[in-house]
Amino acid sequence: MTSKREVRILLVGDPGVGKTSLILSLVSEEFPDEVPAKAEEITIPADVTPERVPTHIVDYSSQEQDEDILQEEMAKSNVICIIYSVDDEDSIERITSFWLPYIRTHLGEEHKVPVILVGNKCDLMDFSTEEIMRPIMNDFAEVETCVECSARTLKNISELFYYAQKAVLHPTAAVYNSEEKE
Ligand code: GTP
């Protein structure tokens, strides 16, 4: 379906994984040394997005916002990015122990909101978490894709937001998952 007239991207994930930094890095094209707890909602005009669709990017901060707001934002979003930090095993473990089940609880077990798993801070590690993400993609059909990036070096930052747009406008999860599961 290419009929969506705008895309709303929500970033969730454990405290300190770099959600706010990712958004500010995208906008300013440089790593912010100091970040507020939460970035203001950002709207990227259609003509500077790869898919030519106005795109809203929404940060969530458990320090500043309560769960009601998180649930409201989840219900409004077209795609949810679960951010983890590649150097923080707890944040990886929480993808399956908390975030994916939490999204299902609030959007429905069969919800159709695509999810992207985003491993931030890849500048700190020289190995990939892809092998850890692959089984998660198989178990949770809503996971559209995974990407590793760094708000610090800007690696894959514009790609991340492009994948999020693409997941809404040209979803492929069903195809990928049926191939993988056999
Ligand atoms: P909460 O507001 O607590 O939910 O945190 P957050 O997920 O928004 O993380 P935030 O952007 O505040 O970043 C947390 C810390 O990680 C800060 O000290 C950032 O400078 C650091 N950080 C963020 N991204 C990167 C990255 O790509 N590489 C490295 N090395 N540090 C990063």
Side-chain angles (χ1 to χ4, degrees):
M1 288 275 283
T2 52
S3 59
K4 283 238 165 36
R5 302 236 315 275
E6 49 178 41
V7 171
R8 198 170 169 86
I9 303 172
L10 174 65
L11 271 62
V12 300
D14 281 5
V17 293
K19 300 176 291 297
T20 309
S21 303
L22 284 170
I23 296 174
L24 298 181
S25 284
L26 174 78
V27 174
S28 63
E29 292 181 0
E30 61 183 17
F31 181 64
D33 286 329
E34 294 198 355
V35 286
K38 180 181 167 294
E40 293 304 319
E41 180 176 327
I42 281 160
T43 300
I44 303 180
D47 57 349
V48 292
T49 70
E51 296 277 348
R52 301 281 182 266
V53 178
T55 299
H56 308 279
I57 303 177
V58 180
D59 193 9
Y60 172 72
S61 166
S62 56
Q63 290 178 48
E64 281 201 349
Q65 296 171 296
D66 60 26
E67 279 196 35
D68 291 347
I69 295 184
L70 174 58
Q71 289 161 21
E72 264 170 43
E73 286 298 346
M74 286 188 337
K76 283 198 281 182
S77 62
N78 302 117
V79 51
I80 299 176
C81 296
I82 302 178
I83 319 295
Y84 63 95
S85 173
V86 295
D87 74 332
D88 174 0
E89 273 181 39
D90 290 345
S91 75
I92 295 177
E93 202 264 326
R94 289 255 300 167
I95 298 170
T96 49
S97 69
F98 179 75
W99 286 106
L100 284 164
Y102 185 84
I103 294 168
R104 283 188 177 184
T105 301
H106 293 285
L107 296 184
E109 289 295 314
E110 301 285 323
H111 76 82
K112 297 285 177 255
V113 178
V115 172
I116 299 184
L117 305 180
V118 180
N120 187 35
K121 307 195 190 183
C122 72
D123 57 289
L124 296 178
M125 302 293 260
D126 49 17
F127 69 85
S128 164
T129 54
E130 189 183 337
E131 291 306 311
I132 306 172
M133 296 306 133
R134 193 159 284 280
I136 303 179
M137 290 186 77
N138 286 337
D139 289 347
F140 292 85
E142 63 271 45
V143 177
E144 174 85 15
T145 192
C146 304
V147 56
E148 289 187 2
C149 63
S150 166
R152 182 177 287 275
T153 64
L154 304 184
K155 185 178 171 195
N156 279 346
I157 299 298
S158 50
E159 285 81 357
L160 152 62
F161 292 98
Y162 174 55
Y163 295 152
Q165 272 201 342
K166 222 170 92 176
V168 178
L169 301 170
H170 313 290
T172 58
V175 177
Y176 177 82
N177 276 285
S178 61
E179 278 174 8
E180 285 290 307
K181 273 185 187 151
E182 294 273 283

